[in-house]
Amino acid sequence: MDPGTLAANNYLYIGDGTNAVTVIADTNDPALDINGNFEIRNNATFTASASNTFNIAGNWTSPGIFNHSNATVTFDATT
C-alpha cells in the first residue's frame, strides 16, 4: 500500500487548543510536507511516522505532545 503524501501549503494545526485530540501518522506512514507553520496545540498529541519523511518549511510550535517515532524531522525553509 502506498501511504501517499500529506501536503499543507500554508499551515497545519493539530487540535483546537481546548478539546483533546490524538493524531497518529505512524499508522499509515504518509510523507508529511508542511510548506508553512506546524503547531501541536494544547491538549493535542501528534505521533509522526516512523518510516517516512516529515518536512516543515515554517515555524514549529508545540505546547502539545510530539512523539517522534525515531524518524527525522527536516526544516527545509529557504530562509
Side-chain angles (χ1 to χ4, degrees):
M1 180 176 92
D2 179 10
T5 299
L6 172 66
N9 289 324
N10 193 0
Y11 56 82
L12 179 63
Y13 296 148
I14 306 297
D16 64 7
T18 302
N19 298 295
V21 66
T22 299
V23 175
I24 304 172
D26 194 33
T27 301
N28 293 314
D29 294 313
L32 299 174
D33 187 17
I34 313 305
N35 292 310
N37 298 334
F38 178 72
E39 181 177 346
I40 305 169
R41 293 183 168 173
N42 287 322
N43 299 315
T45 301
F46 178 76
T47 301
S49 168
S51 62
N52 224 325
T53 60
F54 186 4
N55 299 313
I56 301 171
N59 297 318
W60 174 293
T61 306
S62 183
I65 297 169
F66 174 67
N67 298 314
H68 57 77
S69 301
N70 291 319
T72 299
V73 176
T74 302
F75 292 91
D76 61 359
T78 57
T79 59

